Amino acid sequence: MIIGLAATVVALALAGRRVRFLYRVAMSGQPAPDRLASAKDNVGDEVKGQVVEVLGQRKLLKWTVPGLAHFFVMWAFIILITVYIEAYGALLTGLDFHIPVVGEWDALGFLQDFIAVAAFLGLVVFSVIRLKNSPKRLDRKSRFKGSHLGGAWLVLFMIFNVVWTMFLFRGAGVATGNFPYGNGAFMSHLVGSALKPAGHDVNEALESVGLLLHIGVMLIFLIIVLNSKHLHIFLAPLNVMFKRRPDALGPVPPMMSDGKPIDFEEADPDEDTFGRGKIEDFTWKGFLDFASCTECGRCQSQCPAWNTGKPLSPKTLIMDLRDHALAKAPYLLAAEDERDNLPEDVLKEAGRPLVGDAESMGVIDPDVLWSCTNCGACVEQCPVDIEHIDHIVDMRRYQVMIESSFPSEAGVMLKNLENKGNPWGMSEMKRAEWIEELNFEVPMVEDKLPEDTEYLFWVGCAGALEDRAKKTTKAVAELLHIAGVKFAVLGPMEACSGDPARRLGMEFIFQMLAQQNIETLNDAGVKKIVATCPHCFNTLSNEYPQLGGTYEVVHHTQLLSHLVETGKLTPVTPVEEKITYHDPCFLGRHNKVYSQPRDIMAKVPGVQTQEMHRCKERGFCCGAGGARMWMEERIGKRINTERVDEALETDPDTVSTACPFCLVMLGDAINEKKSAGDAKDSLEVVDVSQLLIRSIKGEPAPAATE
């Protein structure tokens, strides 16, 4: 008893010291009152989140085999608490202790033994997965590339120790007659039968030794967990509790300083926090994200940048931020007048720039930061709800707005947005030229929206100014006209939604454009909007409310699907083509619109659909998001080429999508494939609205016309 209690006191003291240290480090960051308020105001959602994501392991079970293994190991941690209650009871009162009331129920004994055996089998599965996917064998193709592999094996070994020491002292208890459960505790009785021939005295000694070993393993395990990536055992429920709760990935949060949104009319870069320029600029929720990372690599395995040879791994980005935070912690926690006396290695760590190349010893390399397409695959896959994109955008904000450091070609885009209201720098009068190519009148808002107008058609910069995207714009306008939907456009009054500026990190230009558009929309009395660009759709519906612009926004595929479903649009002419559909990231993962584009194609006679192997939640990016549309792709394989290679595996006649950016990126890659003789000349990429109008009007495919 003395040994067990002494070890417990020492371990709890060390654990308490570590917990206090981690708490102080996290609290050295910026406040995040919105997270506390959200958790308080959404108690029902919080309970549901804990049940579904933590206890139910929803995200982990998307990968069935490792998900089930983790499910049983996680539940072993919970259920085997009862065994430790029994162990401490035996330590304090005697080996014949049992939990009052339930401590003799066979059902509990069975559950304890079952979950321990299931956890052991889970360890076997984990070991096989790690050996099969070893970075030594697969290099970048391994999702464990960059993870702390030694620590993972140590934790697996410690869980194994928990299991065998448990069965040692329980089996010895069976042999000595101190075990409270009947045959329901099947494995304990099996071990007891094997130990019984050793005699009562030997088993009594084994029971005491096994008891101390079981407790000792748990105490050592506790210290290891608090000092390793497996801290997620305790932090994952908290991270789920305080996560953002948008519909899907939704908006980028507004720029915050000291817990308040930044007002650019009054903001002072010398006083306010503009993005994240150093580790302490992250909020405590950011620190919680860093410490919650399990290093499982699911985000890395789905990242389009990583999969095309670029240096960005969402996993290692989070790990690097965590490691830097812990290394800089003594500096963060020291009083200002004591910092000069800190060890040299701490001062060296404190002096590292958050973003910088190898020569400057930056924590995050610029090529890592600018490789991100904001596709959201990392956030979608993360089992502990880490918000990678938010942190990347915040670091970009500091680089763009304070350091003026970003890819040069993006600077042209920003100047065009500021001066012309669109990324291409074209005249605002060109926004209405597509209307002249239609044979019916499209109302244009001059002051107020006409009273009988149901939707404002938000055309977007690409839809108005890019030749390929204009085909979608005209198709949607014609479909709405055929269906009898009253709509109008802003024409020259429309400016860029601001998405490229915000995703690049230039929040000032985003807010300038957004406030201009909100004023225009409000003055016109707009309530409902239909948009063809998922980036505009996401910005208008999810981000404009941050600035006071709240509208009912639908994507054109949602509206067209409804019109087909209600019989207002009827596709009749067969389109005898094999078609594969590409999910736009800002329509799919960011807003969970997966079914409507597919529903439209399903209603078009003759269409044969074939999914790519990465689709829907696991869809692969086209490479245009995160303002990458206006940045050169100089490292590794082009993302759009990788995606088209996947499309070609389905041997399609047509590639369809529902985004003007995707239309351009996939179209460029397909043209390259055609030039190289790797794709048939008739292959085209079209918006689903073009397929629908072709069937409704009985028009032949453009390629056939040519």
Side-chain angles (χ1 to χ4, degrees):
M1 181 175 70
I2 294 173
I3 295 172
L5 290 179
T8 300
V9 169
V10 171
L12 290 180
L14 293 173
R17 181 183 177 187
R18 179 66 176 177
V19 169
R20 182 174 179 271
F21 165 76
L22 293 171
Y23 176 80
R24 291 179 65 208
V25 171
M27 289 299 106
S28 69
Q30 292 274 310
D34 55 316
R35 301 308 180 99
L36 295 171
S38 177
K40 182 179 179 181
D41 296 340
N42 297 281
V43 175
D45 288 337
E46 297 298 349
V47 173
K48 180 181 177 181
Q50 296 299 313
V51 170
V52 174
E53 294 197 33
V54 179
L55 300 180
Q57 303 274 280
R58 177 181 66 89
K59 283 193 172 183
L60 281 157
L61 288 170
K62 288 181 178 180
W63 294 27
T64 308
V65 174
L68 282 172
H70 193 279
F71 179 87
F72 287 120
V73 171
M74 184 277 297
W75 272 100
F77 274 95
I78 297 173
I79 294 171
L80 295 185
I81 290 173
T82 59
V83 175
Y84 277 103
I85 293 173
E86 293 170 348
Y88 272 97
L91 184 70
L92 296 172
T93 66
L95 295 173
D96 59 349
F97 171 84
H98 63 82
I99 301 173
V101 182
V102 299
E104 294 180 307
W105 290 2
D106 266 12
L108 179 58
F110 170 79
L111 186 60
Q112 291 169 334
D113 278 21
F114 169 78
I115 202 65
V117 171
F120 172 75
L121 295 176
L123 299 183
V124 174
V125 171
F126 287 149
S127 299
V128 171
I129 289 173
R130 288 190 169 274
L131 291 171
K132 184 179 178 182
N133 295 279
S134 170
K136 290 182 179 179
R137 293 181 61 247
L138 303 178
D139 196 38
R140 286 178 65 96
K141 292 183 179 180
S142 169
R143 63 186 174 97
F144 301 118
K145 173 82 170 176
S147 299
H148 294 116
L149 303 178
W153 284 111
L154 174 60
V155 167
L156 293 182
F157 177 64
M158 292 304 298
I159 298 173
F160 169 69
N161 288 336
V162 168
V163 173
W164 77 259
T165 56
M166 165 187 157
F167 286 126
L168 175 63
F169 94 81
R170 284 163 70 96
V174 170
T176 59
N178 290 325
F179 192 61
Y181 301 108
N183 291 327
F186 60 96
M187 184 56 69
S188 296
H189 278 276
L190 184 62
V191 174
S193 298
L195 293 176
K196 197 164 188 178
H200 185 275
D201 292 343
V202 171
N203 277 294
E204 194 169 54
L206 284 176
E207 188 174 6
S208 298
V209 171
L211 177 65
L212 289 174
L213 285 174
H214 191 57
I215 291 173
V217 165
M218 180 270 291
L219 296 174
I220 294 171
F221 199 2
L222 175 64
I223 303 303
I224 291 174
V225 165
L226 292 174
N227 287 273
S228 73
K229 76 178 184 76
H230 280 79
L231 190 60
H232 76 269
I233 293 171
F234 302 117
L235 295 186
L238 292 176
N239 215 41
V240 171
M241 180 185 300
F242 293 118
K243 73 173 183 177
R244 290 199 291 121
R245 296 196 174 278
D247 179 16
L249 302 186
V252 168
M255 275 182 66
M256 307 283 282
S257 179
D258 197 29
K260 300 175 183 176
I262 284 184
D263 181 351
F264 284 105
E265 293 183 2
E266 301 177 358
D268 181 357
D270 295 327
E271 299 291 334
D272 293 304
T273 302
F274 275 46
R276 312 293 180 228
K278 49 188 182 297
I279 197 69
E280 54 267 39
D281 290 342
F282 289 92
T283 66
W284 58 260
K285 175 56 173 66
F287 283 92
L288 186 58
D289 270 357
F290 307 154
S292 296
C293 180
T294 70
E295 301 182 21
C296 66
R298 293 186 179 212
C299 59
Q300 180 174 291
S301 71
Q302 301 297 305
C303 176
W306 180 262
N307 277 279
T308 52
K310 296 166 183 62
L312 169 62
S313 160
K315 176 187 70 178
T316 55
L317 180 138
I318 295 296
M319 289 168 57
D320 288 343
L321 291 172
R322 177 189 65 202
D323 294 346
H324 175 60
L326 293 175
K328 191 177 178 180
Y331 181 89
L332 299 177
L333 302 181
E336 286 193 26
D337 58 354
E338 297 175 355
R339 286 177 172 174
D340 291 339
N341 299 322
L342 291 170
E344 185 177 344
D345 60 330
V346 174
L347 293 175
K348 187 176 181 180
E349 189 71 31
R352 295 177 66 190
L354 188 65
V355 178
D357 57 21
E359 186 177 346
S360 64
M361 296 181 61
V363 178
I364 304 298
D365 190 276
D367 285 333
V368 169
L369 190 66
W370 297 111
S371 292
C372 179
T373 67
N374 281 206
C375 73
C378 50
V379 183
E380 173 70 34
Q381 286 296 323
C382 182
V384 293
D385 291 327
I386 293 171
E387 296 157 357
H388 313 73
I389 291 178
D390 294 354
H391 303 316
I392 288 172
V393 170
D394 273 334
M395 286 188 283
R396 285 183 173 187
R397 283 166 167 167
Y398 183 86
Q399 292 301 303
V400 172
M401 302 185 71
I402 302 299
E403 297 290 337
S404 296
S405 176
F406 50 90
S408 58
E409 58 268 23
V412 177
M413 179 267 291
L414 289 176
K415 287 180 182 178
N416 289 335
L417 287 178
E418 192 170 11
N419 297 328
K420 296 292 186 178
N422 68 80
W424 289 280
M426 295 185 184
S427 167
E428 62 186 21
M429 300 311 296
K430 287 185 174 292
R431 284 186 176 272
E433 287 184 355
W434 62 272
I435 298 175
E436 299 171 5
E437 301 173 30
L438 298 175
N439 58 7
F440 59 91
E441 183 181 354
V442 174
M444 194 178 304
V445 177
E446 294 181 2
D447 182 19
K448 291 285 185 181
L449 203 65
E451 289 186 8
D452 63 343
T453 303
E454 187 175 358
Y455 287 96
L456 176 84
F457 180 12
W458 184 274
V459 178
C461 300
L465 304 172
E466 206 284 327
D467 288 340
R468 285 166 288 188
K470 276 199 258 185
K471 295 178 182 178
T472 302
T473 303
K474 290 183 286 185
V476 171
E478 193 163 1
L479 287 166
L480 295 180
H481 176 70
I482 292 170
V485 176
K486 299 294 183 180
F487 69 96
V489 298
L490 291 174
M493 294 170 62
E494 183 182 298
C496 178
S497 67
D499 167 82
R502 171 165 260 198
R503 298 285 165 169
L504 183 74
M506 179 49 84
E507 185 73 9
F508 176 76
I509 291 181
F510 163 73
Q511 290 199 19
M512 178 190 75
L513 292 167
Q515 288 166 351
Q516 174 186 328
N517 285 324
I518 289 170
E519 183 178 356
T520 300
L521 292 169
N522 289 347
D523 287 347
V526 173
K527 302 296 182 184
K528 298 168 70 175
I529 300 172
V530 57
T532 55
C533 175
H535 298 261
C536 296
F537 167 58
N538 182 68
T539 305
L540 293 168
S541 60
N542 295 323
E543 298 185 347
Y544 274 24
Q546 297 171 356
L547 299 171
T550 303
Y551 315 100
E552 181 184 336
V553 187
V554 297
H555 188 253
H556 73 281
T557 57
Q558 294 175 304
L559 180 55
L560 295 179
S561 176
H562 173 71
L563 294 174
V564 171
E565 190 68 30
T566 55
K568 294 182 178 179
L569 290 174
T570 306
V572 290
T573 304
V575 178
E576 302 289 350
E577 295 179 9
K578 185 178 181 182
I579 298 176
T580 188
Y581 175 72
H582 163 80
D583 287 283
C585 301
F586 278 72
L587 185 62
R589 276 186 293 265
H590 284 265
N591 288 281
K592 297 300 183 196
V593 178
Y594 296 113
S595 62
Q596 290 91 334
R598 290 173 170 83
D599 291 343
I600 292 172
M601 291 189 293
K603 292 294 177 66
V604 175
V607 167
Q608 301 175 41
T609 56
Q610 176 66 51
E611 295 283 8
M612 287 180 258
H613 74 275
R614 286 191 280 207
C615 61
K616 298 182 180 178
E617 291 89 349
R618 293 194 186 184
F620 199 77
C621 184
C622 75
R628 290 289 328 171
M629 180 86 166
W630 290 273
M631 291 183 248
E632 289 297 325
E633 198 169 342
R634 298 184 176 92
I635 304 173
K637 184 178 181 180
R638 295 180 68 87
I639 293 174
N640 59 339
T641 302
E642 174 73 10
R643 186 53 166 167
V644 165
D645 283 341
E646 293 183 0
L648 292 177
E649 290 176 5
T650 68
D651 188 29
D653 299 310
T654 298
V655 177
S656 68
T657 187
C659 170
F661 288 5
C662 297
L663 200 68
V664 170
M665 298 297 285
L666 299 180
D668 287 347
I670 285 174
N671 288 336
E672 289 177 4
K673 293 291 182 182
K674 288 180 180 179
S675 298
D678 296 329
K680 50 193 175 187
D681 291 338
S682 61
L683 180 64
E684 60 173 344
V685 56
V686 300
D687 189 273
V688 291
S689 62
Q690 293 172 260
L691 292 172
L692 182 59
I693 192 70
R694 191 187 301 172
S695 178
I696 288 175
K697 295 182 66 177
E699 295 177 348
T705 301
E706 292 170 8

